[in-house]
Amino acid sequence: MPSTRSYSYQSVGLEQTVYLADSLTSCFIPGTVVTLDGDLGAGKTAFAQAVAKALGVHGIVNSPTFTIIKEYEGEKLPFYHMDVYRLSIEEADDLGLDEYFYGSGVTLIEWSSLIEELLPVDRLSVTIENCGDQTRLFRLNPHGDSYEQWCEQLKENGVLI
């Protein structure tokens, strides 16, 4: 049964977004799935870049808007960055996303709400709200015991509220 718990984090500037990414990635294990939604310009790609850096990915990480999926080798875990904005549900289904979701790395999916029915039951759903200037509100909804435990741990450590 999906969690009804919701956690939040307010970021005022990129440094605080990086701090959230660092805190979250300390929990990541092979097969971690993070879904990422928010309006255009909310900061989805900036957050994905911060996650990649925290995983030890070297080089440039940009939005895979036209390539759909980019694979990176991180020092800690492989990083699979997806942008499904331009896909239909049928096209997404044909890509064999399960291999990523249940693979050996971390999968982060931008615009995930467009393929909701294909997503694994267990995942961390992150929604970013642009609150003006540099301020972003991150809403984290864990689905599954592991993700719930991570969020609770980060709440106890004062990262999430």
Side-chain angles (χ1 to χ4, degrees):
M1 176 152 84
S3 169
T4 55
R5 295 282 320 251
S6 181
Y7 301 82
S8 60
Y9 176 84
Q10 184 168 316
S11 167
V12 182
L14 186 56
E15 297 81 21
Q16 291 181 350
T17 297
V18 168
Y19 176 73
L20 175 61
D22 287 344
S23 299
L24 281 171
T25 57
S26 69
C27 302
F28 289 176
I29 58 173
T32 294
V33 176
V34 178
T35 63
L36 198 52
D37 288 284
D39 292 336
L40 283 170
K44 292 180 296 299
T45 300
F47 181 71
Q49 290 167 334
V51 167
K53 185 175 181 184
L55 289 172
V57 172
H58 299 285
I60 296 171
V61 173
N62 50 28
S63 182
T65 303
F66 294 101
T67 54
I68 313 303
I69 302 170
K70 288 189 177 180
E71 298 181 17
Y72 301 92
E73 196 54 49
E75 292 174 1
K76 297 177 183 172
L77 291 165
F79 179 58
Y80 311 125
H81 186 194
M82 302 179 184
D83 183 327
V84 298
Y85 184 74
R86 300 184 185 286
L87 290 182
S88 69
I89 197 80
E90 294 79 17
E91 291 168 326
D93 196 25
D94 289 344
L95 287 175
L97 300 178
D98 283 358
E99 291 179 34
Y100 293 99
F101 298 159
Y102 303 104
S104 60
V106 172
T107 303
L108 187 144
I109 309 138
E110 293 188 39
W111 299 101
S112 66
S113 60
L114 298 173
I115 62 163
E116 182 81 29
E117 63 199 63
L118 299 178
L119 298 173
V121 173
D122 289 356
R123 64 186 186 274
L124 179 63
S125 298
V126 179
T127 303
I128 307 173
E129 260 180 66
N130 184 343
C131 301
D133 296 328
Q134 297 288 318
T135 305
R136 301 293 186 267
L137 179 62
F138 289 79
R139 296 190 190 280
L140 292 80
N141 292 296
H143 302 271
D145 290 341
S146 296
Y147 297 98
E148 182 76 43
Q149 289 170 5
W150 298 352
C151 289
E152 277 298 315
Q153 178 184 343
L154 291 176
K155 183 179 178 181
E156 288 173 18
N157 293 341
V159 177
L160 300 177
I161 55 172

